[in-house]
Amino acid sequence: MKEQIQQTYKSNDTEEWLDVVWTRPIGYQWARFFDALNVHPNTVTILSMFIGVASAYFFAHGSYRTEGTEGLIYNIIGVLLLAWANFYDSADGQLARMTGKKTQLGRILDGAAGDVWFFAIYHAVVFRFYFYHDLEFQWLGIENNERNTLIATLVIYALSWFSGIVCHAHQCGLSDYYRQIHLFFLKGKAGSELDNSIQQKQIYEETPWKGNLIYKLFLLTYINYTRNQEKQTPQFQLLKQKLKEEYGDTENIPQAFRDEFRRLSLPLMKWANILTFNTRAITLYITFLLDFPWLYLFMEIIAFTGLYLYMRHTHEGFCQELNDKIANV
């Protein structure tokens, strides 16, 4: 059974410990279940979106300061639903690799699933603060009236948008990109989903609107997603261009160079994994269960952003070193 589960990994290099011991084994069982029912991986991804969004409703109503035990139960339900959504998010990729049912739309949907969950959860944070902020106002010595409540809620709303649109999006997008880059040098084109914006724009332009409305809209989003990844990684983009000029087809890159890149990239995989879901979700669970969910925003803005900047600086640094080596050959 263990070997069968490992066959559904993208690679051992890019698997997180918690995924290996918890998420992947459960996701594999769900993948087998959906495979027996002949359910397409994309359907599983969409189901994960609905379940993840449902968790936000329970998080929003989960304050136990005034709701008591009922609020605590709502929190626990929210945790279980978000964990369930993540099991499905694992299962869709495992199912795709088991059955060979990999599609471009599946890749886009898989990347969008977490964004859909967290979009709803950020609004749950704001909703919960608006209705349950008495203790915070008491600590700060702020009079609890309608005007102050509105101002404070607008501040939390602005922080949630900054946390989600700027911090979360950049952190998860770059982490995913670095993992795909690592997989490319480890396993080649076939083992990676290293997409680029020019390629995605071409697919978009060649796809007719008739019968493909939803797919076209997702492609538009994905073009911006890949373009943003490229803007954040100028040294890697230069390295990729130099390798193309030097070796033509990327499959001709010498194994020695691939091994060196893997050696430099491997230490960053643990940070990329931290910035994707598990550590983020555990932080979210703790802040909701402590009944101070707005604390999550500060963790994301300060701690996770610090880790993101370190990871980006390190990756760009060794890409620049490799660029210099190629130039001096």
Side-chain angles (χ1 to χ4, degrees):
M1 178 66 73
K2 185 177 180 180
E3 291 182 0
Q4 292 173 317
I5 296 173
Q6 287 179 338
Q7 288 174 2
T8 66
Y9 294 173
K10 291 180 179 178
S11 78
N12 288 326
D13 281 8
T14 53
E15 289 296 324
E16 189 175 5
W17 173 82
L18 192 57
D19 282 335
V20 171
V21 300
W22 175 247
T23 309
R24 294 303 189 197
I26 296 175
Y28 178 72
Q29 296 303 327
W30 278 113
R32 290 183 61 193
F33 171 76
F34 287 122
D35 186 29
L37 296 177
N38 198 30
V39 175
H40 196 278
N42 293 354
T43 303
V44 180
T45 308
I46 293 170
L47 286 173
S48 82
M49 292 182 182
F50 281 106
I51 296 169
V53 169
S55 75
Y57 171 84
F58 290 94
F59 284 135
H61 296 85
S63 178
Y64 49 83
R65 298 181 200 173
T66 55
E67 302 299 331
T69 304
E70 182 180 353
L72 183 59
I73 292 172
Y74 269 47
N75 266 323
I76 293 172
I77 293 173
V79 169
L80 293 175
L81 284 174
L82 189 56
W84 187 9
N86 189 45
F87 292 142
Y88 276 18
D89 189 51
S90 176
D92 61 8
Q94 291 173 285
L95 179 62
R97 287 185 283 276
M98 285 166 56
T99 61
K101 295 178 180 177
K102 296 182 180 181
T103 65
Q104 179 68 8
L105 179 59
R107 162 68 175 153
I108 298 171
L109 284 173
D110 187 55
D115 293 337
V116 171
W117 308 341
F118 276 87
F119 179 81
I121 289 169
Y122 287 124
H123 284 82
V125 171
V126 176
F127 179 92
R128 188 154 151 179
F129 179 84
Y130 179 78
F131 286 101
Y132 309 102
H133 57 262
D134 298 13
L135 188 57
E136 287 88 337
F137 275 24
Q138 183 181 333
W139 285 349
L140 296 171
I142 299 174
E143 183 182 352
N144 191 3
N145 57 41
E146 186 175 343
R147 177 178 176 275
N148 289 338
T149 296
L150 179 60
I151 292 172
T153 303
L154 288 174
V155 170
I156 294 297
Y157 190 70
L159 285 173
S160 71
W161 269 97
F162 179 77
S163 185
I165 301 299
V166 178
C167 300
H168 184 116
H170 281 77
Q171 292 161 13
C172 290
L174 193 64
S175 296
D176 177 62
Y177 196 49
Y178 284 162
R179 289 196 295 190
Q180 297 307 325
I181 291 171
H182 187 88
L183 287 168
F184 172 78
F185 283 96
L186 178 67
K187 305 175 75 172
K189 286 181 182 179
S192 171
E193 295 170 337
L194 186 60
D195 297 323
N196 64 76
S197 58
I198 295 175
Q199 176 192 54
Q200 299 311 307
K201 187 176 181 181
Q202 183 178 354
I203 294 173
Y204 172 81
E205 291 172 349
E206 293 174 352
T207 302
W209 279 100
K210 187 176 181 180
N212 296 291
L213 176 61
I214 295 176
Y215 180 44
K216 290 273 284 188
L217 293 175
F218 271 112
L219 274 173
L220 269 177
T221 303
Y222 196 56
I223 290 169
N224 291 328
Y225 177 77
T226 52
R227 186 178 291 142
N228 186 49
Q229 290 174 324
E230 291 160 0
K231 286 180 180 178
Q232 295 181 77
T233 55
Q235 287 298 324
F236 172 71
Q237 302 309 316
L238 179 60
L239 177 63
K240 188 168 66 169
Q241 181 61 34
K242 285 186 175 182
L243 289 173
K244 185 176 180 180
E245 292 171 357
E246 184 74 18
Y247 302 108
D249 191 282
T250 52
E251 296 301 316
N252 296 329
I253 298 172
Q255 187 60 46
F257 187 92
R258 292 179 180 273
D259 291 342
E260 182 177 10
F261 191 97
R262 176 180 177 268
R263 178 183 62 81
L264 295 168
S265 173
L266 186 59
L268 293 182
M269 291 303 99
K270 59 179 178 292
W271 307 124
N273 288 331
I274 285 174
L275 289 176
T276 48
F277 180 78
N278 287 328
T279 303
R280 192 180 299 275
I282 290 169
T283 305
L284 190 76
Y285 298 155
I286 292 171
T287 57
F288 271 106
L289 289 169
L290 288 174
D291 215 354
F292 297 106
W294 51 268
L295 284 174
Y296 172 79
L297 304 177
F298 289 92
M299 283 294 297
E300 189 162 65
I301 292 170
I302 299 171
F304 292 162
T305 296
L307 185 54
Y308 153 82
L309 291 173
Y310 166 77
M311 183 175 66
R312 180 182 174 187
H313 173 77
T314 304
H315 198 278
E316 283 290 281
F318 74 67
C319 282
Q320 184 174 10
E321 290 178 8
L322 292 173
N323 280 324
D324 292 340
K325 283 185 178 181
I326 293 174
N328 294 328
V329 170

